[in-house]
Amino acid sequence: MTKKAPNPIDKHVGSRVRMRRMMLSMSQEKLGDALSLTFQQVQKYEKGTNRIGASRLQQISQILQVPVAFFFEGAPTFHPQNDGGMGEAPSPTYVSDFLATSDGLALTKAFMEIKEPKLRRRIVDLVEEIAGRGE
């Protein structure tokens, strides 16, 4: 028996739930308690393993204090192949994927606390150099 891969939209919505939960420093257990679920069920939602129903998504949006549309921002879209080769560029979901990680969120929060623009630019230059993108 083969394991079915999560739907890309379900995975995206789940990652946005995780990102927002982490932004609020809320544990999976606390979100689960607010939803009357186990933290394991929250994990499955966040991984996209289990699909989040409309009423549950509305409930999550209220708990996490964001509109439902927040969870779909940057979501992958379906494009039929008969577009004559003029498809849209893929959406940069790597940004939301990065922000959904604890390192990504911590780095972003710390970076945004740096008020000096020149210092922020030097940090970006340093990271690009380390990544091998330096000019």
Side-chain angles (χ1 to χ4, degrees):
M1 182 162 60
T2 59
K3 202 173 190 180
K4 188 177 176 191
N7 179 292
I9 300 292
D10 295 334
K11 198 171 176 182
H12 177 81
V13 169
S15 74
R16 298 283 291 180
V17 168
R18 177 177 169 78
M19 176 178 69
R20 181 60 182 165
R21 178 183 58 75
M22 291 175 71
M23 288 171 78
L24 297 173
S25 300
M26 181 184 290
S27 69
Q28 288 178 330
E29 187 174 14
K30 187 173 178 186
L31 179 57
D33 288 346
L35 295 167
S36 299
L37 299 171
T38 64
F39 79 90
Q40 291 96 334
Q41 182 64 44
V42 172
Q43 277 181 332
K44 289 179 179 182
Y45 282 159
E46 290 182 353
K47 290 179 183 176
T49 307
N50 286 6
R51 182 171 289 158
I52 304 172
S55 59
R56 178 76 72 200
L57 191 60
Q58 175 68 34
Q59 192 179 9
I60 291 170
S61 76
Q62 291 171 348
I63 294 165
L64 299 180
Q65 304 166 356
V66 290
V68 171
F70 169 85
F71 301 111
F72 295 94
E73 290 173 6
T77 56
F78 172 74
H79 296 288
Q81 296 298 59
N82 61 355
D83 61 3
M86 298 297 289
E88 231 178 90
S91 72
T93 58
Y94 65 91
V95 174
S96 59
D97 290 347
F98 174 68
L99 289 173
T101 67
S102 55
D103 287 341
L105 188 58
L107 183 62
T108 303
K109 281 182 175 179
F111 186 79
M112 295 307 294
E113 290 174 8
I114 300 169
K115 300 300 178 206
E116 180 59 44
K118 288 181 181 179
L119 178 56
R120 285 170 64 154
R121 181 69 247 171
R122 288 176 48 207
I123 291 169
V124 170
D125 291 342
L126 173 65
V127 173
E128 286 180 339
E129 185 69 33
I130 291 169
R133 289 182 41 201
E135 296 173 59

